[in-house]
Amino acid sequence: MRSIGEMARDSGLGVSALRFYDRAGVLVPDRVDPVSGYRWYAPGQLDEARLLARLRRAGMPLADIRLVLAGWTGADTDLVRQLLRAHLRRLEQGLSDARAEFSALRALLDHRENPMTSLRTDTAVRLSLSGPALAAALDAVRFAAGTDPELPMLGGILFDVEGDALRLVATDRYRMAVARAAADGHDGSRVQVTVPLPLADAMRALLDGEERVRLTVDGDRVTLETGDRQTAGQCLGHDFPDYRRLVRLPAGRRAPVDVPAFREAVLTGPVRADEDQDAVGRELTVLRVAKDGSVALAGDGADGRDLVAVNRAFLLDALAAGSGDRLVLEFGAPTAPLAIRRPDDEHTFSLLMPVRLEN
């Protein structure tokens, strides 16, 4: 007999998925302890679970999965073969439809009549900033920068100059971080450049003092000077996405947390395996927000609509980047990003995309 944990490890289905398929009557354990409710699986159920995992990865509907499992070991395999062929036809039709839609979208992009106005400038922009403030802003967003070579426009930090402020933004699609530093010397139109990560890291290495620093944006070149030292380089030749659209979130439930204690709870508390086949080995932290505003980690067997699951490593990065001993977690809908805010600075925050739980 296999425990549910052993079955999850050997079959490729997560523990929460096994519980879901038990409740759905698709893969019912051979024995359930009448006192503890613990599930035990017979040896012959491992092959069935592995088959279920394959069908799930292929996106087969649950109703069809039931019939495939029911007919798999029978002498007549015609029903199973028909179900597999029918699902493959659906997938092929879906891919054909998706290609047609993407082709139309590319045509729209190629023939847009009103392309976005570039936010670069032909005139050099010179700013004076507090060195520690710029260092803190870089530290607050660096963790969220993208590293995917297929999305080079996200492989840097956006420097967004507007009025008396410099905003820094980074995102890798699954998380986003925004910070702000006061700036003097520019009262013109808005200017944006994306600083590649190696150059941003070189800038941060210069910011080891308390003095003010000078930042110059001249076309696609940016220079940071502090004292008699400087670093400079070319900006990325891609437009950064309009982050302001992405941070317009409706207000949610706010839960203040003591960062050292909460971080220790995340490090040592329960985790779930991310059941996305592209995220093998990734661990999730599942959070539950009570009506009184307190937040707690949910155990592996927890379920309900008030759960929010996030990548544990991303959450730990955001807590470290948030700095300080107090932060506020803001929860919206289960599918909305989790916002991590500083109670004393509305301009510095990060967003983490939730991960859909299997059930």
Side-chain angles (χ1 to χ4, degrees):
M1 302 290 283
R2 281 182 171 80
S3 69
I4 192 170
E6 293 168 332
M7 192 66 158
R9 181 196 64 206
D10 296 340
S11 69
L13 290 170
V15 169
S16 59
L18 287 169
R19 290 196 180 101
F20 170 72
Y21 290 122
D22 176 15
R23 290 192 295 268
V26 176
L27 182 62
V28 178
D30 185 70
R31 183 168 68 86
V32 178
D33 190 294
V35 177
S36 66
Y38 206 79
R39 298 164 171 85
W40 294 93
Y41 294 84
Q45 290 185 288
L46 177 58
D47 288 341
E48 190 175 356
R50 287 173 171 167
L51 171 60
L52 174 54
R54 288 181 180 274
L55 297 173
R56 184 173 73 88
R57 287 194 295 269
M60 178 173 279
L62 195 59
D64 287 359
I65 288 178
R66 292 176 191 274
L67 291 176
V68 170
L69 293 177
W72 186 260
T73 57
D76 186 354
T77 62
D78 285 349
L79 174 61
V80 172
R81 293 181 186 278
Q82 288 286 357
L83 289 169
L84 295 178
R85 281 195 291 267
H87 183 57
L88 183 58
R89 283 196 299 271
R90 284 196 298 268
L91 293 176
E92 290 171 342
Q93 183 59 50
L95 179 57
S96 176
D97 293 343
R99 282 177 171 151
E101 295 296 344
F102 275 93
S103 178
L105 290 172
R106 283 194 295 267
L108 288 173
L109 284 173
D110 291 340
H111 296 93
R112 279 192 310 175
E113 294 182 357
N114 298 307
M116 285 182 60
T117 302
S118 174
L119 291 175
R120 300 198 178 188
T121 179
D122 296 329
T123 305
V125 173
R126 295 178 175 84
L127 304 175
S128 173
L129 305 101
S130 160
L134 180 57
L138 285 167
D139 290 343
V141 305
R142 175 62 175 83
F143 78 97
T147 57
D148 187 344
E150 294 188 2
L151 296 171
M153 65 291 297
L154 302 183
I157 296 175
L158 175 69
F159 281 46
D160 183 4
V161 182
E162 186 174 23
D164 59 355
L166 168 66
R167 285 183 176 83
L168 304 186
V169 187
T171 182
D172 63 359
R173 292 182 296 161
Y174 306 106
R175 49 188 172 170
M176 172 178 282
V178 181
R180 178 183 182 274
D184 298 326
H186 177 67
D187 56 4
S189 59
R190 188 177 175 198
V191 176
Q192 288 185 347
V193 291
T194 304
V195 176
L197 290 180
L199 179 54
D201 291 340
M203 290 179 172
R204 179 61 183 89
L206 288 184
L207 301 171
D208 54 4
E210 297 296 322
E211 71 276 8
R212 294 188 70 79
V213 298
R214 297 173 299 281
L215 181 72
T216 302
V217 179
D218 189 359
D220 61 355
R221 186 173 179 82
V222 64
T223 303
L224 179 69
E225 300 173 87
T226 172
D228 59 354
R229 298 177 298 165
Q230 75 168 34
T231 185
Q234 298 294 116
C235 299
L236 295 180
H238 305 277
D239 288 336
F240 200 84
D242 185 1
Y243 72 94
R244 297 191 180 193
R245 293 176 58 92
L246 304 176
V247 300
R248 294 173 187 162
L249 301 177
R253 291 174 294 170
R254 295 170 67 87
V257 294
D258 176 80
V259 174
F262 185 67
R263 182 177 184 278
E264 182 64 20
V266 173
L267 279 171
T268 60
V271 295
R272 294 193 192 183
D274 192 338
E275 291 160 5
D276 184 339
Q277 61 261 35
D278 295 327
V280 176
R282 201 171 294 167
E283 294 178 329
L284 305 179
T285 291
V286 183
L287 304 173
R288 169 175 280 143
V289 187
K291 291 182 179 179
D292 63 1
S294 61
V295 61
L297 273 65
D300 191 56
D303 55 17
R305 295 181 178 274
D306 60 341
L307 301 181
V308 177
V310 293
N311 182 300
R312 182 169 76 152
F314 289 178
L315 177 57
L316 290 170
D317 285 344
L319 292 174
S323 186
D325 291 337
R326 301 289 293 177
L327 289 172
V328 176
L329 307 186
E330 188 170 288
F331 298 83
T335 55
L338 166 66
I340 302 174
R341 304 185 185 276
R342 295 181 182 178
D344 58 344
D345 183 359
E346 63 176 316
H347 302 292
T348 300
F349 58 90
S350 56
L351 305 175
L352 302 182
M353 287 300 298
V355 179
R356 188 180 73 85
L357 296 174
E358 175 64 30
N359 57 352

